[in-house]
Amino acid sequence: MMQHLIILPIVLPLFTGLFMLLSRNGATRSRRILALASTSLLVVAGALQVIQSGDDVVRYYALGDWQPPFGIILVLDRLSAMMVLLTAILALGSVIYACAGDDEQGSNFHGLFQLQLMGVNGAFLTGDLFNLFVFFEVLLIASYALLIHGGGKSRIHSSFHYVALNLAGSALFLIAVGVLYGVTGTLNMTDMATRIPELDASQAGLAKVGAMLLLVVFGLKAAMMPLYFWLPRAYAAAPAPVAALFVIMSKVGIYGILRIYTLIFGAQAGVLADIAQPWAWWLGLATLALGSVGVIAARDLRTQVAYLILVSIGTLLAGIGMNSQQATSALLYYMIHTTLVTGGLFLLADAIARQRGKAGARIVRSRSVTQTAPLGILFFVGAMAVVGMPPLSGAIGKTLVMQAASLPSDKAWLWSILLANGLVSVIALSRAGSTVFWRANHKEETHETMGAMRGIALVFLIGASPLISLLAGPVTEFTEATATQLSDQQRYIRAILPADTAGGDA
Amino acid sequence: MEALYATMTGALAASGLYLTLRGRTFPVVVGLTLLSYAVNLFLFSTGGLTTDGAAVIKEHTDHYADPLPQALVLTAIVIGFAMTAFSVILAIRVRGELGNDVVNVTRGDEPREDKS
């Protein structure tokens, strides 16, 4: 049973999603219970995977028992397990929130949601480059449908941009995969990693083209600097539970960069070693700087949160650019924090918008929210966490990332931009908070409250921040071990390929 | 043959790119379709161009074509088909909801509330 655990996070949402699409006329209540049950099980499966990967053995699951490097494999190591668990926790929060009513604004919400989870989990677990493309498409087509869930002009309009851009991105992905296959003759990522160092000069040039194209594709998914203009509009227009789940989608791009450029084009790759890291560093810093401008310029809470995601993406990319074990460990901790908190903030922006009548989530003077105290406290905690005020997790994450900068020039760039961003975010969020909660006309109140389900979801996601600050010890221990495991490519290769096919030095 | 093949793929990709950058939804969809055709042809050629080669196993021959790119192209065609169908439907929805088919209406990235 335990050896099939690896594929469970893909199969479980697949079957739940298909079942829900087939029984689409069933009762709302039973669909909600099924969605909650399936997502909770996913959390359990993710937790089991994290425990299983804790013994530092890289496990693989050969589909159809076709052994690597010939068949498609799924690989479970610490990084994959951590990402699967993170996805499941975020998804549970947004499913709980959606069950309060958002899921009934259109059809098939829960089914599509589960299929999107399948795509995300598959992308984290697969060990095959073309299979990664397929899972990207699965998660994208589900996200296209989820983005227009509930309809409305701004959603339809922003979704056409999103779809066209991602279709172009998929075309680039296929070209990159084709180039790499043509050069190395394999699609298995591990096998590719053993063949890249053996390429001669002309082939290495082609492989470099493939590698840089892949960086563009992952950069588009992660919303790296020149490729981020789609993100704020799409995420701000999406329904709240969907926007919360989309937070993990940009992390899929970060995961792709981390995986491909440590395993295939990592330190052992000869002339192609570490080709992406300098790009990630400078573009990450640029994303961070422009994200800060967006945070302070935003006139809508949801747009502001979308720009906060860009800030986190910039920080993560800069962490990848530093290319050290310490930096990787720091960015993984920061990723857990930022994913859960920004997901929670999207839900919070929606909960606030519901109680302000016509003003919605716009940062303008209007009627006050009904539940000032709970929403205000949640906003305060979320904002403190996301800007990086001690004692919450954002402060720990940012400190870890800043500590990882070792060269004086790196320090100068990263510290100044990251700290300036912290200041700007404090100003922007305190302005937003005081406008929404204090500059209000107390006469006309709506009597709408957020209800128990939404409250639970908000506390669950935003409460994750104090929780992972309390558990910072065990969490950083895990991320440090993950970073060590990522940097040891030979061990990863030996675990997957039999000795006689694994290159010269195995 | 390689030169002809490469020229055709390049021409398709260039036309696709040009159309994708147009201002109305229909040329954009057609452009994306052409782009996916170019990508499929490119993917097909990654195993090297072989004529009259056996794809899987044949006795008394060592003249083989690489079967893997063919399988990849099949997958890519299916996915590309679904995506094209979806973007056509979406373009029609855009036309219906917004009353025009201009892709790039200049407005900020603030979501607009619908006035119902």
Side-chain angles (χ1 to χ4, degrees), chain A residues 130 133-134 137 141 144-145 148 151-154 156-157 159-161 163-164 167-168 171 174-175 178-179 181-182 187 232-233 236-237 297-300 302-303 307, chain B residues 25 28-29 32 35 39-40 42-43 46-47 66 68-69 72 75-76 79 82-83 86-87 90-91 93-94 97-98 102-105 107-114:
Chain A
F130 195 79
F133 164 77
V134 174
E137 294 303 305
I141 200 156
Y144 299 156
I148 49 173
K153 276 182 189 165
S154 74
I156 301 271
H157 196 256
S159 92
F160 190 78
H161 289 191
V163 170
L167 285 180
L174 276 177
I175 294 176
V179 169
Y181 175 73
L187 285 169
R233 194 183 300 194
R299 288 170 302 170
D300 186 294
R302 290 170 293 178
T303 314
Y307 277 106
Chain B
T25 50
V28 171
V29 172
L32 287 170
L35 206 56
V39 168
N40 289 345
F42 175 80
L43 211 54
T46 51
D66 191 343
L68 193 65
L72 300 188
T75 317
I79 292 177
M83 295 296 178
F86 184 83
S87 54
L90 190 64
R93 276 286 294 272
V94 171
E97 293 263 343
L98 302 180
V102 180
V103 176
N104 208 8
V105 182
R107 51 155 88 159
D109 42 19
E110 314 281 326
R112 278 215 183 148
E113 298 306 321
D114 296 323

Side-chain angles (χ1 to χ4, degrees), chain A residues 1-9 12 39-57 59 76-78 80-86 88-89 125 478:
Chain A
M1 183 56 213
M2 278 311 265
Q3 81 265 26
H4 296 296
L5 178 66
I6 300 181
I7 203 172
L8 191 64
L12 180 70
T39 319
S40 313
L41 262 179
L42 210 56
V43 175
V44 175
L48 283 176
Q49 285 197 338
V50 166
I51 294 168
Q52 194 180 34
S53 69
D55 58 0
D56 270 326
V57 179
R59 291 179 174 78
L76 179 71
D77 66 349
R78 279 172 179 267
S80 304
M82 188 191 105
M83 297 307 293
V84 168
L85 181 61
L86 185 60
I89 293 175
L125 284 169
F478 188 85

